[in-house]
């Protein structure tokens, strides 16, 4: 039975059902009883495996098809009325063409199947930041993941009332045919269509498709921002908590930073890091002329391999109950799971992520490198008491970062907001060949939004600049690089919990309690202002991390930066008249500073 009388919702569902022709339509009401029945059904059909309920209560295991293990950027389209609106960094398809093409794929795709109607809220229900979506899907796996990643059920429809302001999401697994896999965003229509995939990033439509691609467009039109950022709070010994958001390209350790445990010396003094979110932040101007942030999600869709008791004990603890594991090793002997980097004792006699018998000695990985856990955020031992605060948390700083072997110093601060936007726009990551020390290929990933910006990235930069004009109390903007390599290809900075030392400097800069050196690229710390007390890191051989090594990672080498200027020029050239003048001026200024 329909859970709403909202005409726009009902008419749209009728239309989608007429196209996909499901046998049944089931509304997801948000109840535990319904979820439990769906879990039982998924177990009965083999879609999920129930794990050992003593060791992993409420946990389940799922395998995707082997050809369907990651987001598919090449098949992701922004279907805006013109190519110019989508901009040079997005794949574009004409909306009429996209609807016609995909309708053929969706036609009859749910025959013999059930269509689930998932009303979901991004952001806590009732928060002024919150936005409603409805996902229609023929996958129980999607329903159960969406229950973890978002707030679902009848309460969402009650919040929506008669409003037509909701995202229309349609997903069908079809035949998991790679050639017919499409992830289509129609920002102007508040619509997402996804077909022929069952992999999270392509089918949990609340996440990348809505909370970034559609929401970035909504933010542009409505005066707020949707960003690919973690949010964390740093509680100081005096009890005050300051908040930072940070954008990093995928695979730079965002979840680890979001849940960081400070070094012992800081814990003893009473510092603590609280996680508000690990992947997405929605930002709005607050009453103090600053920016406040919410995490629109309710769970973590984290990469499993490499997550362990040392690298991220908080993430690991988050996965010990109520979690769905996808594409990791399944240990049928005791109903548990394993992945590379969990511990040094891979289980014997297990099946790998493909479901084949797996020998840990074989050299073949048992878990897919992009295998995932979907864990409720509430499970996280360091989840912030404010993580569901409807008003969000006020940001002291915004941090950008990437993986750069030589170029970017450990940390630097932008001169002002516009320069900060420039710093975000030139973000990049390299593939590092750590063993040889070779500098890899640079992929520019502005604000870590390259695959996620729902409109022309030039206009998106302009939106950042325009937001800055409205901020009387803007967060300070920084850039960090945990990944500098020495000439032998060894990491010069320990990373993980020791990154707290850099966050401390960032907060001191926000308070104005520490100086810095002005360089061609912005403000760089004086080495003595980054606290190395208690740090015990050996870079290689007997070379320890000390203040001289720190000076090395803080160096700004003009020749590397001039190479970077050339690559930024190439990026900017793509935007033509959509490149904001302020950014072109910042680039000129950087080049002039470097050649002075
Ligand atoms: C993610 C990503 O899965 O950024 O969060 O790729
Ligand atoms: Mn991400």
């Amino acid at each position: 039975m329909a859970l709403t009388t909202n005409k726009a919702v009902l008419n749209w569902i009728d239309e989608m059902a007429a196209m996909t022709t499901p046998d049944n339509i089931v509304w997801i009401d948000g109840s535990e009883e319904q979820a439990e029945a769906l879990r039982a059904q998924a177990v009965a059909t083999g879609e999920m495996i129930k794990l050992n309920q003593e060791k992993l209560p409420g946990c389940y295991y799922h395998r995707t098809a082997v050809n369907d293990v990651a987001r598919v950027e090449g098949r992701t389209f922004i279907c805006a009325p013109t190519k110019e609106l989508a901009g040079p960094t997005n794949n574009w398809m004409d909306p009429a063409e996209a609807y016609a093409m995909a309708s053929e794929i969706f036609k009859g795709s749910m025959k013999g199947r059930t269509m689930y109607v998932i009303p979901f809220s991004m952001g806590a229900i009732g928060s002024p930041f919150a936005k409603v979506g409805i996902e229609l899907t023929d996958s129980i796996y999607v329903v159960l993941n969406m229950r973890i990643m978002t707030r679902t059920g009848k309460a969402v429809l009650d919040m929506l009332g008669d409003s037509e302001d909701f995202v229309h999401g349609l997903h069908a697994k079809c035949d998991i045919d790679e050639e017919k896999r499409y992830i289509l965003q129609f920002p102007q229509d508040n619509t997402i269509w996804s077909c022929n995939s069952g992999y999270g990033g392509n089918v949990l439509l609340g996440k990348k498709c809505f909370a970034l691609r559609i929401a970035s467009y909504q933010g542009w039109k409505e005066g707020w921002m949707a960003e690919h950022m973690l949010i964390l709070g740093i509680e100081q010994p005096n009890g005050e908590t300051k908040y930072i958001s940070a954008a990093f390209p995928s695979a730079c350790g965002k979840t680890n930073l979001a849940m960081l445990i400070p070094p012992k010396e800081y814990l003893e003094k009473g510092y603590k890091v609280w996680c508000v979110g690990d992947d997405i932040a929605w930002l709005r101007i607050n009453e103090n002329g600053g920016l406040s942030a919410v995490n629109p999600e309710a769970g973590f869709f984290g990469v499993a391999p490499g997550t362990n008791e040392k690298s991220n004990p908080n993430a690991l603890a988050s996965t010990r109950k109520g979690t769905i594991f996808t594409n990791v090793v399944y240990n049928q002997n005791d109903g548990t799971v394993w992945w590379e980097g969990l511990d040094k004792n891979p289980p014997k006699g297990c099946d790998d992520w493909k479901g084949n018998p797996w020998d840990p000695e074989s050299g073949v990985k048992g878990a897919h490198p992009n295998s995932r856990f979907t864990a409720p955020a509430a499970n996280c031992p360091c989840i912030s008491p404010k993580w569901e605060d409807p008003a969000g948390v006020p940001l002291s700083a915004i941090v950008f970062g990437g993986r750069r072997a030589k170029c970017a110093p450990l940390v630097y601060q932008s001169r002002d907001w516009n320069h900060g936007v420039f710093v975000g726009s030139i973000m990049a990551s390299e593939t590092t060949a750590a063993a040889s020390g070779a500098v890899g290929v640079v992929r520019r990933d502005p604000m870590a939004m390259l695959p996620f910006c729902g409109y022309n990235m030039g206009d998106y930069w302009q939106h950042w600049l325009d937001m800055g004009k409205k901020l009387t109390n803007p967060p300070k903007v920084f850039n960090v690089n945990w990944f500098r390599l020495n000439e032998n290809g060894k990491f010069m900075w320990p990373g993980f919990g020791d990154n707290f030392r850099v966050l401390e400097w960032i907060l001191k800069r926000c308070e104005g309690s520490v100086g810095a050196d002005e360089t061609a690229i912005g403000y760089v710390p004086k080495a003595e202002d980054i606290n190395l007390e208690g740090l015990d890191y050996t870079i290689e051989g007997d070379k320890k991390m000390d203040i001289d090594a720190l000076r090395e990672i803080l160096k700004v080498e003009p020749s590397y930066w001039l190479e970077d200027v050339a690559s930024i020029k190439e990026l900017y050239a793509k935007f033509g008249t959509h490149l904001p003048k302020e950014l072109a001026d910042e680039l000129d200024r950087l080049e002039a500073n470097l050649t002075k």
Side-chain angles (χ1 to χ4, degrees):
M1 207 188 65
L3 293 184
T4 180
T5 53
N6 181 315
K7 286 262 164 13
V9 172
L10 297 176
N11 290 344
W12 167 66
I13 294 176
D14 281 350
E15 208 185 307
M16 296 301 105
M19 174 167 70
T20 54
T21 63
D23 285 11
N24 308 300
I25 297 182
V26 171
W27 289 71
I28 299 304
D29 59 15
S31 71
E32 184 49 35
E33 301 79 70
Q34 186 187 45
E36 195 50 31
L38 289 171
R39 288 182 200 115
Q41 198 179 326
V43 169
T45 60
E47 188 176 351
M48 293 203 313
I49 294 173
K50 192 170 188 168
L51 294 169
N52 183 322
Q53 296 298 297
E54 254 156 55
K55 293 186 173 163
L56 295 167
C59 293
Y60 288 80
Y61 176 74
H62 173 79
R63 289 188 180 100
T64 64
V66 292
N67 72 354
D68 187 29
V69 292
R71 288 186 290 104
V72 280
E73 289 176 18
R75 308 198 66 92
T76 298
F77 291 82
I78 300 299
C79 308
T82 65
K83 185 166 168 45
E84 193 176 350
L85 275 164
T89 54
N90 280 315
N91 298 317
W92 173 77
M93 211 185 283
D94 173 75
E97 237 173 73
Y99 282 128
M101 181 269 307
S103 296
E104 284 305 309
I105 299 173
F106 277 109
K107 201 183 278 173
S109 62
M110 295 191 192
K111 195 162 174 5
R113 308 176 58 79
T114 296
M115 173 191 273
Y116 299 95
V117 179
I118 317 171
F120 65 96
S121 172
M122 300 313 292
I125 292 175
S127 159
F129 289 69
K131 291 260 178 197
V132 171
I134 300 179
E135 177 163 355
L136 310 178
T137 179
D138 57 356
S139 159
I140 295 181
Y141 172 77
V142 167
V143 173
L144 296 174
N145 274 271
M146 285 292 284
R147 276 191 96 248
I148 299 173
M149 294 306 296
T150 72
R151 287 96 179 160
T152 57
K154 169 97 170 60
V156 176
L157 291 168
D158 294 344
M159 173 168 94
L160 183 66
D162 286 333
S163 167
E164 297 187 7
D165 183 12
F166 65 95
V167 166
H168 308 56
L170 174 66
H171 163 248
K173 289 197 288 190
C174 306
D175 309 313
I176 313 290
D177 177 350
E178 286 165 278
E179 299 303 316
K180 292 189 182 156
R181 186 169 299 153
Y182 290 99
I183 319 299
L184 307 172
Q185 279 76 194
F186 302 85
Q188 284 72 9
D189 301 348
N190 248 351
T191 294
I192 306 161
W193 282 15
S194 164
C195 53
N196 277 296
S197 176
Y199 168 75
N202 299 326
V203 300
L204 307 181
L205 300 186
K207 196 174 179 61
K208 304 297 191 182
C209 304
F210 176 177
L212 289 176
R213 297 194 189 101
I214 299 286
S216 60
Y217 175 81
Q218 293 176 333
W220 180 37
K221 294 292 154 192
E222 297 168 11
W224 54 282
M225 301 158 92
E227 300 299 331
H228 190 198
M229 289 177 176
L230 65 91
I231 311 164
L232 60 81
I234 298 179
E235 185 177 328
Q236 294 162 317
N238 66 6
E240 201 187 340
T241 303
K242 297 266 171 70
Y243 296 91
I244 293 177
S245 71
F248 294 84
S250 307
C252 285
K254 253 168 75 210
T255 303
N256 291 348
L257 184 61
M259 300 177 192
L260 166 153
I261 298 181
K264 194 167 91 291
E265 299 69 35
Y266 287 91
L267 292 174
E268 283 164 2
K269 284 185 202 141
Y271 286 94
K272 180 153 179 48
V273 170
W274 297 102
C275 172
V276 180
D278 80 326
D279 195 39
I280 298 175
W282 284 0
L283 314 178
R284 282 181 187 264
I285 299 175
N286 60 31
E287 65 283 3
N288 298 321
L291 278 176
S292 285
V294 298
N295 168 13
E297 301 190 280
F300 308 125
F301 183 63
V303 176
T307 305
N308 60 49
E309 210 37 80
K310 252 185 109 178
S311 67
N312 195 338
N314 287 314
L316 191 61
S318 307
T319 68
R320 298 299 92 179
K321 60 178 187 207
T323 293
I324 299 172
F325 296 93
T326 303
N327 290 346
V328 297
V329 173
Y330 170 53
N331 186 345
Q332 59 274 56
N333 304 314
D334 69 352
T336 59
V337 289
W338 191 85
W339 50 79
E340 277 70 23
L342 174 62
D343 55 40
K344 297 210 164 71
N345 308 308
K348 300 219 162 48
C350 298
D351 287 344
D352 67 7
W353 68 275
K354 294 181 183 167
N356 298 324
W358 175 66
D359 172 7
E361 321 269 82
S362 65
V364 176
K365 288 195 163 61
H368 187 276
N370 193 34
S371 53
R372 299 275 175 157
F373 53 80
T374 316
N379 280 359
C380 183
C382 65
I383 197 71
S384 163
K386 295 242 181 202
W387 84 280
E388 299 201 271
D389 191 321
V393 294
L395 295 181
S396 297
I398 290 177
V399 177
F400 295 117
R403 190 181 271 273
R404 303 302 304 266
K406 303 270 185 232
C407 197
L410 179 62
V411 56
Y412 68 100
Q413 183 187 356
S414 62
R415 284 181 300 269
D416 53 31
W417 179 264
N418 283 4
H419 181 227
V421 177
F422 172 74
V423 168
S425 78
I426 66 168
M427 259 175 69
S429 249
E430 284 159 30
T431 49
T432 50
S436 66
V439 177
V441 183
V442 179
R443 169 174 142 126
R444 302 229 82 94
D445 188 352
M447 281 84 168
M449 285 288 280
L450 188 69
F452 306 122
C453 186
Y455 60 107
N456 190 314
M457 179 85 68
D459 298 338
Y460 164 81
W461 291 332
Q462 187 62 56
H463 180 47
W464 267 80
L465 295 163
D466 293 344
M467 288 292 289
K469 288 180 202 137
K470 295 187 218 154
L471 294 170
T472 50
N473 187 17
K476 305 266 188 296
V477 183
F478 297 81
N479 191 87
V480 298
N481 176 24
W482 318 130
F483 303 98
R484 273 276 278 259
L485 302 179
N486 71 5
E487 58 289 350
N488 299 324
K490 297 285 187 280
F491 286 114
M492 295 166 78
W493 178 250
F496 298 103
D498 286 307
N499 291 336
F500 189 82
R501 300 170 190 278
V502 174
L503 299 184
E504 183 189 33
W505 182 81
I506 287 174
L507 285 190
K508 283 189 179 159
R509 285 296 292 169
C510 293
E511 286 163 4
S513 63
V514 72
D517 291 329
E518 183 157 13
T519 72
I521 64 166
Y523 297 109
V524 173
K526 295 175 190 300
E528 54 278 15
D529 288 335
I530 293 193
N531 179 19
L532 298 182
E533 183 201 336
L535 183 114
D536 183 19
Y537 177 63
T538 307
I539 301 172
E540 62 175 325
D542 54 5
K543 178 137 184 46
K544 287 246 179 205
M545 176 81 220
D546 58 12
I547 190 150
D548 292 327
L550 179 59
R551 275 197 190 95
E552 279 300 305
I553 346 177
L554 292 173
K555 261 196 193 146
V556 176
E557 174 53 52
S559 62
Y560 294 133
W561 277 93
L562 283 167
E563 268 177 45
D564 224 40
V565 164
S567 124
I568 299 163
K569 281 185 182 165
E570 267 175 44
L571 170 76
Y572 277 8
K574 293 183 187 160
F575 291 92
T577 55
H578 288 266
L579 178 71
K581 176 163 183 324
E582 289 90 332
L583 296 190
D585 290 348
E586 290 290 348
L587 181 56
D588 289 345
R589 178 161 176 192
L590 174 63
E591 191 169 19
N593 285 350
L594 290 165
T595 47
K596 217 159 32 196

